[in-house]
Amino acid sequence: MLSQRLGKELLYFDGGMGTLLQSKGLGPGELPETWNLIHKEEIIDIHRQYFEAGSDIVLTNTFGANALKFHDTEYHLKDIVSAAVRNVKKAAKLGVADGRETYTALDIGPTGKLLRPMGDLAFEDAYEAFKEVVCYGEEAGADLVHIETMSDTYEVKAAVLAVKENTNLPVFATMIFDERGKLLTGGDVLSVVALLEGLRVDALGINCGMGPKQMMPVLDAIMRYASIPVIVKPNAGLPKQKDGEVFYDVDPGHFAEAMYQVVQAGACVIGGCCGTTPAHIKAMAGRCKGMRPKTPVEKGDTIVSSYGQGVVIGDRPVIIGERINPTGKSKFKQALKDHNLDYILREGITQQDKGAHILDVNVGLPDIDEVSMMKEVVCELQSVTSLPLQIDTVDITAMEAAMRIYNGKPMVNSVNGKHESMDAVFPLIKKYGGVVIGLTIDEDGIPDTADGRLKVAGRIIDEAKKYGIDRKDIVIDVLAMTISSEPEGAKITLDALRKVTEHYGVRTVLGVSNISFGLPYRPAINANFYTMAMQCGLSAGIINPSSEDMMRSYYSFCALMNHDKNCEQYIVQYGNQKAPSPSVQPSGEMPLKDAIEKGLKEEAYQAAARLVIEKAPLAIINEHLIPALDAVGKGFEKGTIFLPQLLMSADAAKLAFAVLKDELAKSGEAAQKKEKVILATVKGDIHDIGKNIVKVLLENYSFDVIDLGKDVAPEVIVERAVAEDVRLVGLSALMTTTVVSMEETIRQLRQEKPDCKVMVGGAVLNEEYADMIGADYYGKDAMQSVYYAQDVLNTAK
């Protein structure tokens, strides 16, 4: 069985499908998946070649087979998938002569759409699209599901859940990272590993985008954190062109040698992606013959993550911001009752700016719908901050609803030692992944001794093990009891912290400010207790990061314990005692630039409305709006701002501009004439994520974007460019099989509209390949495309 071989034997995938399909006559814009029915012998022949080359696992020709792509075609999705599975199985009979066991992997690629809040595809709609395909695949006899070429953690989560909840098939998942180790949507290796392991995939890794040598730094990072088998499927280098033919620059021999090094680095399952042929796989299998992969090693890291970053709860304490919680906060309670989400988002952003690493989210009030409010607040917060969230609720329904739609591996607050609580919470942690806080409370209440709390902690850890939940995913809260009513409370808590840390080796957490209820000048007690708790092993403090007393305690402790190398963060904080941050003015009114940079739409709208009373609209655009967008764009390029934040900032700018546009019309002031830009995803390609991101940014820089959509024929693009006298066209493609359509579009534009510049982008492209197909510019990311448009169309930066 596959499960018995995985991680113990070196297993081989097949290689690229698209390149071979093109060599067999796949036309520009033709759907490759239809060949399972209309040219099945050609598909079987490709699969057979890979089996003969040594592949143990061969993918079905279903990369783009989903309801979103096939909803209006003459071919039924079930027929496509069933035929695809049959074709692989028939090829195995024809191509395997040595009697080895082989596997048919149902291939699942991305939908081509961004999920909300970044795009327009709902999480559950993506889930349903994947569910339909995997159900057909299991029914047809697939042995496993391989989800690949994913650039969005949210989409891969929908796909994994679809497999886990509707089939009994093993699931592999590989992502497409860039050379910086980042996904398109901003995720890093740590966040991806945390998410996928939390969702209990059977193997994870990387495919596409780069050649094997370029993948090595990403593989090294994956091996640092992954505890399960790792998959590596590189391209055969970079695409190039010779005598009118496209080829990849890593030949079979060099590919095989590089993959030998990949196995030495720790990969258990290897294969190829774009440009790899049966010759590449044969050479790879020959070079790696007899190798045994490194056995996956269980890593003990306690990790929570968002879509954009992972946070390791380790030796250096982390800060969990406590302010998104109605307890004792009348303004926050009113904001919840008024559905004032901007107030809540402001609290989150403020805590992020003050140094929080994780944000606690509690929206429980008796007179609101906690389930819907929790889901909405989690989604909105994840659109303006990349910090991981702690889902804090006693409502199990709200907990599951939030965990399901959360983009990452959350912290969950909480479970306790009562069997009723553990029976309700642990199944959710097992299903969705998460780091759960274990409160040392049982049916008898809170033990009044450190040993009593240690015993409850042990019961929680032991019960979690029955659900397959490792102790690295449990953080124990030994509870801070207020010393005004429990004089020995602090001593018991500190003693319990030491004992839990030493005896079980788990991480710990405390709601620090609980210690001082009922006492005057609480910050003094809180800060001193916080320092004492960290010295006793506290891993995560739930505190108010806007409290200077608490943050002084934190930065001082980190410097004293050498968690802050060379005291760098301490010096940054206190080297020049700066005045309070101007981000929020005394009146509570946020400047327009700050509101746009932070993606706060209502704040941006209000700030623009205030400014326009005193200033001319064009001055506001030039002095506030454009600088804010430039700052966000530079942050995106540097990797300090992620895609969701970029798009939310664009939305905030759009609302602000709406106010200014109205005032421009009233005053008769003329806005700069908008230059037109055509954007399109080329014929045969339905993946419009990149195009849509570029569109949003271009519109915010005052370009008039003519969006022709996806799967657009060259003639349509050329005709519109001529009719509108457009001087810049942007073309996008994700699939290697559709780059020929891009090249044909450029050729026709050169003939019919020679003064029109063409910029191209997409995962399968690079600068050299863009030059080969005749493009004027290769946009490595969305902001680079904006800068090029500004240069070409002579707009002011």
Side-chain angles (χ1 to χ4, degrees):
M1 290 183 62
L2 179 62
S3 60
Q4 295 171 340
R5 300 177 67 188
L6 187 60
K8 301 179 183 68
E9 300 177 32
L10 185 59
L11 297 174
Y12 304 116
F13 261 111
D14 54 357
M17 172 63 74
T19 306
L20 297 186
L21 282 176
Q22 286 176 323
S23 70
K24 286 182 174 290
L26 180 74
E30 193 174 1
L31 296 176
E33 297 79 12
T34 62
W35 276 44
N36 291 308
L37 295 170
I38 61 177
H39 298 295
K40 68 177 183 179
E41 294 305 324
E42 301 285 8
I43 298 298
I44 291 169
D45 184 59
I46 292 173
H47 294 325
R48 176 191 58 76
Q49 292 179 55
Y50 280 121
F51 279 122
E52 288 180 345
S55 296
D56 301 300
I57 307 170
V58 168
L59 293 168
T60 57
N61 178 33
T62 53
F63 180 80
N66 60 66
L68 299 175
K69 185 173 182 178
F70 280 88
H71 67 282
D72 58 355
T73 70
E74 60 184 292
Y75 303 99
H76 193 281
L77 189 57
K78 183 176 183 180
D79 295 335
I80 293 280
V81 174
S82 300
V85 173
R86 286 196 304 270
N87 292 340
V88 175
K89 291 189 175 297
K90 184 172 182 180
K93 292 178 181 178
L94 296 172
V96 179
D98 57 5
R100 71 183 188 277
E101 186 175 5
T102 60
Y103 308 96
T104 300
L106 180 69
D107 191 20
I108 300 291
T111 62
K113 290 180 172 291
L114 274 175
L115 274 64
R116 294 175 186 162
M118 291 185 285
D120 57 3
L121 181 62
F123 178 83
E124 292 298 341
D125 289 342
Y127 169 88
E128 289 296 330
F130 292 126
K131 173 184 173 181
E132 183 179 10
V133 176
V134 300
C135 287
Y136 292 151
E138 183 178 47
E139 183 182 341
D143 300 306
L144 71 146
V145 176
H146 181 41
I147 303 162
E148 65 169 342
T149 323
M150 288 285 179
S151 58
D152 179 7
T153 52
Y154 209 23
E155 185 171 29
V156 81
K157 178 175 182 176
V160 172
L161 286 177
V163 180
K164 289 285 188 180
E165 293 180 353
N166 299 285
T167 79
N168 293 308
L169 298 176
V171 56
F172 294 0
T174 54
M175 312 295 289
I176 179 168
F177 291 92
D178 63 20
E179 66 278 3
R180 301 174 302 163
K182 295 282 190 178
L183 304 179
L184 171 68
T185 49
D188 58 13
V189 168
L190 181 58
S191 63
V192 167
V193 172
L195 170 73
L196 292 176
E197 288 199 352
L199 291 170
R200 306 302 197 268
V201 301
D202 297 278
L204 61 83
I206 179 173
N207 81 287
C208 202
M210 294 184 284
K213 289 185 178 179
Q214 291 78 22
M215 279 188 178
M216 287 301 293
V218 178
L219 174 59
D220 290 341
I222 292 174
M223 294 307 303
R224 162 64 184 85
Y225 295 107
S227 302
I228 63 176
V230 172
I231 306 163
V232 177
K233 300 198 309 171
N235 293 342
L238 301 174
K240 295 188 176 181
Q241 197 174 50
K242 183 178 181 181
D243 300 327
E245 296 293 326
V246 176
F247 71 98
Y248 283 74
D249 64 359
V250 177
D251 63 33
H254 287 94
F255 184 83
E257 191 60 41
M259 295 308 288
Y260 180 86
Q261 295 172 20
V262 163
V263 176
Q264 287 183 316
C268 296
V269 189
I270 57 175
C273 203
C274 300
T276 54
T277 66
H280 288 82
I281 301 305
K282 183 176 181 178
M284 177 186 76
R287 181 67 178 91
C288 298
K289 186 176 181 180
M291 293 186 76
R292 294 191 67 83
K294 294 180 180 178
T295 302
V297 177
E298 178 65 36
K299 309 301 192 302
D301 301 298
T302 299
I303 306 170
V304 294
S305 69
S306 65
Y307 66 86
Q309 61 178 295
V311 171
V312 178
I313 302 174
D315 294 336
R316 177 179 179 138
V318 301
I319 295 169
I320 303 174
E322 68 179 7
R323 299 299 297 171
I324 304 177
N325 189 320
T327 305
K329 304 178 186 72
S330 57
K331 287 184 179 179
F332 192 89
K333 287 180 181 177
Q334 194 59 47
L336 287 175
K337 292 176 182 177
D338 296 341
H339 198 258
N340 184 356
L341 292 183
D342 253 44
Y343 180 91
I344 298 170
L345 299 185
R346 262 201 325 273
E347 286 287 350
I349 289 170
T350 298
Q351 292 181 99
Q352 173 182 270
D353 291 347
K354 294 293 185 179
H357 306 109
I358 301 167
L359 300 179
D360 182 75
V361 182
N362 184 318
V363 295
L365 282 180
D367 47 355
I368 69 166
D369 181 348
E370 185 177 354
V371 175
S372 62
M373 179 62 81
M374 178 65 87
K375 287 173 63 178
E376 188 172 8
V377 170
V378 165
C379 285
E380 290 293 321
L381 274 170
Q382 288 207 288
S383 68
V384 298
T385 176
S386 65
L387 294 186
L389 303 182
Q390 174 172 285
I391 297 166
D392 185 358
T393 179
V394 295
D395 185 324
I396 295 298
T397 304
M399 183 182 290
E400 177 165 19
M403 290 181 73
R404 185 174 184 82
I405 56 92
Y406 179 76
N407 190 354
K409 180 184 178 184
M411 203 156 182
V412 179
N413 192 3
S414 58
V415 70
N416 60 53
K418 298 177 183 178
H419 277 286
E420 179 185 11
S421 173
M422 292 188 285
D423 290 344
V425 175
F426 283 150
L428 300 183
I429 302 300
K430 180 181 179 181
K431 180 177 181 178
Y432 297 110
V435 171
V436 64
I437 293 177
L439 305 180
T440 51
I441 305 171
D442 61 12
E443 283 79 3
D444 297 323
I446 302 172
D448 56 9
T449 66
D451 286 337
R453 297 181 197 181
L454 178 69
K455 186 176 179 180
V456 177
R459 191 180 308 136
I460 291 171
I461 292 167
D462 289 342
E463 188 67 20
K465 192 183 300 182
K466 297 176 184 177
Y467 289 87
I469 300 168
D470 192 82
R471 65 180 61 195
K472 71 180 180 181
D473 285 332
I474 300 170
V475 178
I476 295 296
D477 186 342
V478 296
L479 302 168
M481 309 302 292
T482 178
I483 57 173
S484 61
S485 59
E486 300 280 348
E488 295 289 305
K491 293 165 64 178
I492 293 169
T493 296
L494 296 173
D495 192 20
L497 273 175
R498 277 190 295 265
K499 290 185 173 182
V500 166
T501 302
E502 292 169 2
H503 191 81
Y504 291 114
V506 294
R507 301 304 177 180
T508 55
V509 64
L510 280 178
V512 176
S513 60
N514 294 342
I515 203 73
S516 64
F517 281 133
L519 293 174
Y521 194 57
R522 294 178 62 193
I525 292 287
N526 292 344
N528 281 282
F529 177 66
Y530 186 30
T531 301
M532 296 168 74
M534 288 188 285
Q535 186 62 33
C536 290
L538 179 65
S539 310
I542 304 175
I543 69 168
N544 176 8
S546 293
S547 165
E548 186 55 36
D549 295 271
M550 298 299 278
M551 297 308 289
R552 263 197 294 262
S553 174
Y554 175 78
Y555 287 117
S556 299
F557 178 84
C558 289
L560 289 165
M561 299 305 293
N562 197 30
H563 295 312
D564 179 7
K565 300 301 179 186
N566 302 316
C567 303
E568 289 177 4
Q569 288 192 331
Y570 183 87
I571 292 168
V572 168
Q573 289 298 124
Y574 303 114
N576 288 312
Q577 281 288 332
K578 296 178 181 178
S581 170
S583 294
V584 179
Q585 298 170 347
S587 64
E589 296 176 348
M590 185 175 286
L592 177 58
K593 185 174 183 291
D594 287 5
I596 291 172
E597 288 183 25
K598 296 178 187 302
L600 295 175
K601 292 180 280 190
E602 182 60 29
E603 294 283 356
Y605 181 88
Q606 296 296 339
R610 289 193 302 271
L611 274 175
V612 85
I613 296 172
E614 308 170 353
K615 276 192 164 188
L618 281 179
I620 297 170
I621 290 171
N622 293 326
E623 296 171 18
H624 298 266
L625 198 146
I626 295 298
L629 288 172
D630 284 340
V632 172
K634 287 183 173 67
F636 180 67
E637 286 186 290
K638 293 176 182 175
T640 58
I641 287 175
F642 302 105
L643 183 59
Q645 298 156 282
L646 181 76
L647 296 180
M648 290 302 291
S649 293
D651 284 346
K654 195 175 293 184
L655 275 178
F657 185 75
V659 174
L660 305 178
K661 185 178 178 182
D662 290 342
E663 291 301 318
L664 282 170
K666 289 178 189 176
S667 65
E669 205 171 356
Q672 187 175 5
K673 181 191 172 192
K674 289 187 175 184
E675 291 281 357
K676 295 176 182 177
V677 179
I678 286 177
L679 295 182
T681 300
V682 298
K683 180 70 176 173
D685 206 318
I686 65 158
H687 301 87
D688 59 358
I689 292 175
K691 171 184 69 66
N692 291 343
I693 296 167
V694 173
K695 175 185 176 182
V696 170
L697 296 181
L698 285 172
E699 287 178 339
N700 275 280
Y701 278 84
S702 298
F703 291 100
D704 182 5
V705 176
I706 302 170
D707 184 1
L708 298 183
K710 57 196 177 188
D711 190 19
V712 186
E715 296 78 13
V716 174
I717 297 169
V718 172
E719 182 181 339
R720 194 66 179 271
V722 172
E724 301 275 356
D725 192 23
V726 172
R727 294 195 290 143
L728 178 62
V729 169
L731 302 176
S732 174
L734 176 71
M735 302 164 64
T736 54
T737 53
T738 60
V739 177
V740 289
S741 295
M742 183 178 281
E743 185 174 13
E744 174 60 19
T745 303
I746 294 170
R747 188 191 68 77
Q748 291 190 25
L749 279 168
R750 294 285 180 253
Q751 185 175 330
E752 302 296 330
K753 192 81 169 59
D755 64 329
C756 181
K757 298 290 186 183
V758 182
M759 60 181 179
V760 298
V764 295
L765 295 168
N766 55 55
E767 190 163 352
E768 185 176 355
Y769 197 27
D771 291 340
M772 285 184 221
I773 62 175
D776 296 292
Y777 183 76
Y778 164 63
K780 190 173 183 181
D781 59 44
M783 281 309 304
Q784 291 298 320
S785 300
V786 171
Y787 297 149
Y788 180 69
Q790 290 176 322
D791 286 340
V792 167
L793 302 177
N794 299 317
T795 59
K797 282 192 177 182

